[in-house]
Structures are given as C-alpha cells and as structure tokens.
Amino acid sequence: MGRGGEPRRARARDEGLGDAVARAQEGDEAAFAVAYRLVQPGLVGYLRGLVGHDGETAEDIAAEAWLEIARDLGRFRGDGAGFRGWTATIARHRALDHLRRQKVRPRPSALEQDMLDLPGPHSTSEQALESISTEKALALIAGLPREQAEAVLLRVVVGLDAPAAARVLGKRPGAVRTAAYRGLRRLAQQLGGAG
C-alpha cells in the first residue's frame, strides 16, 4: 500500500489517537489534550488552505470547530482515523460558514463523475512538500483548483485515507484519489519548474 513503515506509523499514530479519544470520552481532560495536539496542526493547515493564509482566521475557525468537537465528543463513534475525518468535517463546515459570512464563495467543483481509481502518489507528495516550507506549500496548494486543493489538504496535511477524505467531501474515494493525484502532480511540475 505505501512505502517502508509509513502505513505502520500512521496506524500506530491513529491507534494512539483512538485511545486518547476513548479516554477523553470518559472525561479524561489530559487525554483530550493529547487528541488535540495530535489533530490540531493538520486541521489548521487544512483550514488555511480553505480560507487563505490569514493564520488568525484559520486558528479562530479551528477554535470554533474544537468547541463543537468538545461538545459532541460523546456522540463520536470510531477509531483514531475516524476521529481525524470527523474533526475535518466539522472544521470544513465552520470554514464554509465563514466563507459564506464573508460573501466569498468557493469555486465550483467541476470534478468528473467516473474517474479511474488511481493510487495515491506518496513519493510525489513527499518530494513536493519536503522541498518547501509549510506556508509556501499552502500558498501553492491554494493555487490549485478547489477540488484538487481540498483533496491534497485532506490526504497530505490532515493525513486521511481516500475513503475518509471522500466522506468529508461527499465524493467517491476514487474521485478524491484522482483529484489528489492531479493536484500533487501539478505541484510537482510547479516545483520542478522553480528548481
């Protein structure tokens, strides 16, 4: 599925997150803090990609999302990977609410319905994102078509697999894989041209 120990590391990270979430649901505040620390960086990166590079706005939206997450934590059912997807869905709804309030509409999606299922290009994302800073990466991702940008943010920044990202976006996993592949390929081309 992936290279080296990456799937194993992701599983171990998500198992630790799942354990923290389960303890937090039982009232363990320290466990909630652990879950927050594991999810927050990817969530803020995702939000910056959705609402732009105003870090304060992304942080504010994340704070609103975490209020909802804390309030509804008892209703959550799932594992660590499921928790990442659930938090990304809540954050996405808060970001779209923010964009509506700002009267800035997201670009319409022109994703084709019957895309081929293509494997996620882990090497492309590693090459692209290792060679630039986070802010530069988010600026480049923001220049992608919206469906590609969201797919890249959810797959690479938040760390969701294609089925989880598809649930967040309300799309098919194959369509998310294809959008992420195209977005990462476009980023790699841009970086190749920039040296």
Side-chain angles (χ1 to χ4, degrees):
M1 185 160 245
R3 294 208 255 182
E6 188 57 35
R8 210 177 345 230
R9 279 190 299 252
R11 273 193 299 275
R13 177 190 67 203
D14 284 341
E15 284 175 15
L17 177 58
D19 292 342
V21 170
R23 290 192 326 270
Q25 288 178 314
E26 295 169 0
D28 185 339
E29 291 180 24
F32 186 82
V34 168
Y36 174 86
R37 283 192 302 273
L38 289 171
V39 172
Q40 177 69 353
L43 201 60
V44 170
Y46 175 55
L47 290 169
R48 283 187 181 145
L50 290 178
V51 300
H53 299 291
D54 181 359
E56 191 172 318
T57 300
E59 292 282 346
D60 292 343
I61 294 169
E64 289 176 27
W66 280 105
L67 288 173
E68 186 175 338
I69 291 162
R71 183 192 71 208
D72 295 342
L73 186 62
R75 293 187 217 162
F76 171 74
R77 298 290 176 260
D79 59 6
F83 185 73
R84 281 184 197 284
W86 184 66
T87 59
T89 299
I90 291 170
R92 182 175 193 262
H93 290 171
R94 297 291 68 76
L96 294 177
D97 288 347
H98 168 77
L99 292 171
R100 277 191 288 277
R101 283 192 304 268
Q102 299 298 316
K103 295 185 180 167
V104 176
R105 294 181 177 244
R107 291 178 290 209
S109 173
L111 199 55
E112 300 148 5
Q113 288 299 314
D114 294 317
M115 296 287 190
L116 295 173
D117 276 358
L118 297 174
H122 297 291
S123 62
T124 304
S125 65
E126 291 166 7
Q127 290 169 0
L129 294 178
E130 282 176 3
S131 65
I132 54 177
S133 71
T134 301
E135 290 303 317
K136 176 117 169 124
L138 292 174
L140 287 171
I141 292 168
L144 294 173
R146 184 162 190 85
E147 69 276 359
Q148 291 176 12
E150 278 203 82
V152 169
L153 288 166
L154 287 170
R155 296 286 316 270
V156 178
V157 178
V158 178
L160 298 181
D161 63 10
R167 284 190 296 276
V168 171
L169 297 174
K171 299 195 179 298
R172 295 179 189 163
V176 171
R177 281 187 205 95
T178 299
Y181 172 80
R182 288 180 175 173
L184 291 168
R185 188 176 66 202
R186 189 178 214 166
L187 290 173
Q189 289 169 346
Q190 289 174 357
L191 292 171

